[in-house]
Amino acid sequence: MKRENQFYSELAIVPDIPSDLFDKIENRLRQTKLIKNISLALAASLVLLISPLAFVHITTPRITSLQPEVASELQVMSDYLNANDLNTEFEQYAVVDGF
Amino acid sequence: MQELDDITLKKAVHGDKHAFKALYNLYAPFLWRVIYRMAPGDQSAASELLQDTFVNIHRALHHFRGDATLSTWLYRITYTTVLKRRRLQIMEKRNVPCTNQMAGTESADHFDNRQLTDQILGSLATEERFLLVAREIDDLSFEEIAAITGKNSGALRTQLHRLKERIRQTFAKENLSIESEVLHEA
C-alpha cells in the first residue's frame, strides 16, 4: 500500500521543462511561416507565367479537323470541279467500252 | 486550474508573440507533465511532443471559440498530438532507457520508485496513461476528460477503476515477491 501511494506521488514529479524549449517552438513557427511564404510566392509566380500562355491559347483560332467521311466527299467534289477525276473515268469507261 | 485572462487570450489569437509566450508560461508545466507521463522515461520524445503541441496550438488558436475552457481545449490538442505521434509509431520504435535526471541525488528507494513508476506506466496504453495523470494528478473531472478524449464519462470512470485495480494488483505481487526474498535471505 505504501509503495502504491508512492507511485501516485511519483506520477506528479517530472523533470523541469528544458529551458530552451520555447525558443525551439519559436524557430519552428518561423520556419513554417517562411515555407508558407515561399510556397505562396512560387504559386503566384507560376500563375503569372502561365496566364499569358493561357490567354494566347484561348485567343488563337482553332483549326478543327474534318471527319473522314466529310473530307472524302469534299475531295470527290473538288476533284470533279477541278477535273482531277478525268483520268480515272477514262480508265473506267475504257474497260466498260471494251477498249 | 488558472485560466488565461481574456485580453491576453485575444492578443494571442491575433498572433501577438508576447501573449503567446504568456500562454506558454501558464500552461506548459501542466501539459509537460501530461506529455512526460504519456511518453514514460523518454525525455527527448516528450520534449519533441511538447514542441509539436505548441506549434499545433499556435496554428489552431484562431479556431478557439470558447465553448470549452482554454485549458480543456489545450489538453485536447495535447492528447490528439500525442496519439497521432503514437500512430506514426515513433514512440514504439524508440528503445530509449529510462532517463533519470535526478540520479545520485535521491535515496535508493526513491530511485526504485521512479523506475517502477516508469515500468508500470510503460505497461499501459497511451490513453490509459493520460486518464491516470489527468484524473489523479491534474484532478480533471470525468466530464472534462470526456470532452478531451471524446469518450463517455461513465466509460472513463469504469476504465479508471479497472486501471487502478490492475496497478494495485501489480504492487500486491511486488510486495509478495519482496517478502519472499526477505524470507529466503533470512
Side-chain angles (χ1 to χ4, degrees):
Chain A
M1 191 67 181
K2 185 188 169 193
R3 289 190 72 140
E4 192 183 333
N5 291 340
Q6 281 174 339
F7 166 77
Y8 287 106
S9 305
E10 196 63 45
L11 270 185
I13 302 169
V14 295
D16 291 335
I17 299 177
S19 54
D20 61 345
L21 207 89
F22 189 73
D23 293 333
K24 287 181 181 175
I25 292 166
E26 276 199 312
N27 282 341
R28 280 179 63 168
L29 290 171
R30 236 179 271 127
Q31 277 175 9
T32 309
K33 197 175 175 185
L34 185 66
I35 290 167
K36 191 178 163 186
N37 288 343
I38 290 172
S39 306
L40 279 171
L42 275 171
S45 305
L46 268 169
V47 167
L48 285 171
L49 264 171
I50 292 169
S51 300
L53 295 170
F55 180 73
V56 165
H57 178 71
I58 287 163
T59 54
T60 304
R62 285 194 204 117
I63 298 164
T64 54
S65 55
L66 293 170
Q67 287 180 350
E69 302 81 20
V70 174
S72 169
E73 285 297 318
L74 285 172
Q75 186 63 47
V76 164
M77 284 162 61
S78 168
D79 288 346
Y80 178 76
L81 290 169
N82 297 324
N84 290 336
D85 59 343
L86 278 177
N87 288 333
T88 315
E89 287 204 17
F90 282 148
E91 284 169 19
Q92 277 180 341
Y93 290 123
V95 169
V96 167
D97 289 344
F99 283 100
Chain B
M1 185 190 290
Q2 187 192 347
E3 297 287 346
L4 197 69
D5 64 279
D6 289 339
I7 296 169
T8 311
L9 176 58
K10 219 172 184 175
K11 284 182 182 174
V13 168
H14 286 99
D16 185 293
K17 281 183 193 174
H18 300 293
F20 186 69
K21 180 86 197 278
L23 185 149
Y24 171 86
N25 287 339
L26 184 57
Y27 293 104
F30 299 102
L31 303 184
W32 168 249
R33 187 167 55 201
V34 165
I35 289 171
Y36 186 82
R37 288 306 182 197
M38 287 174 86
D42 191 346
Q43 189 169 340
S44 64
S47 176
E48 282 178 34
L49 282 166
L50 190 62
Q51 288 178 54
D52 289 347
T53 299
F54 272 93
V55 166
N56 290 340
I57 288 169
H58 189 270
R59 272 195 207 128
L61 211 46
H62 61 283
H63 291 302
F64 177 65
R65 297 279 172 264
D67 300 331
T69 60
L70 180 61
S71 56
T72 304
W73 189 78
L74 294 176
Y75 269 115
R76 171 128 184 101
I77 293 180
T78 306
Y79 180 75
T80 51
T81 302
V82 175
L83 281 191
K84 197 176 172 185
R85 181 67 83 94
R86 188 200 66 174
R87 277 181 212 128
L88 292 172
Q89 295 182 336
I90 290 169
M91 277 161 68
E92 271 68 30
K93 280 180 184 167
R94 283 177 185 257
N95 287 317
V96 179
C98 172
T99 53
N100 189 339
Q101 299 294 308
M102 294 189 241
T105 62
E106 303 289 342
S107 66
D109 265 352
H110 205 79
F111 180 77
D112 287 339
N113 274 333
R114 189 161 298 120
Q115 273 192 319
L116 190 57
T117 303
D118 285 340
Q119 263 178 9
I120 291 171
L121 285 175
S123 68
L124 305 179
T126 310
E127 295 96 327
E128 289 176 327
R129 291 178 212 148
F130 176 79
L131 177 58
L132 200 62
V133 175
R135 182 70 192 145
E136 296 298 313
I137 308 304
D138 291 349
D139 205 26
L140 297 183
S141 67
F142 283 107
E143 287 66 35
E144 281 174 308
I145 300 172
I148 291 163
T149 60
K151 294 181 182 173
N152 177 271
S153 60
L156 287 166
R157 223 175 274 269
T158 308
Q159 190 180 11
L160 182 65
H161 174 77
R162 287 183 185 152
L163 186 55
K164 289 174 79 171
E165 192 51 46
R166 269 164 51 201
I167 293 170
R168 198 167 295 130
Q169 284 173 11
T170 305
F171 279 104
K173 280 181 204 165
E174 194 52 35
N175 288 337
L176 278 172
S177 67
I178 290 169
E179 278 169 13
S180 68
E181 270 177 34
V182 166
L183 280 172
H184 184 75
E185 279 167 16

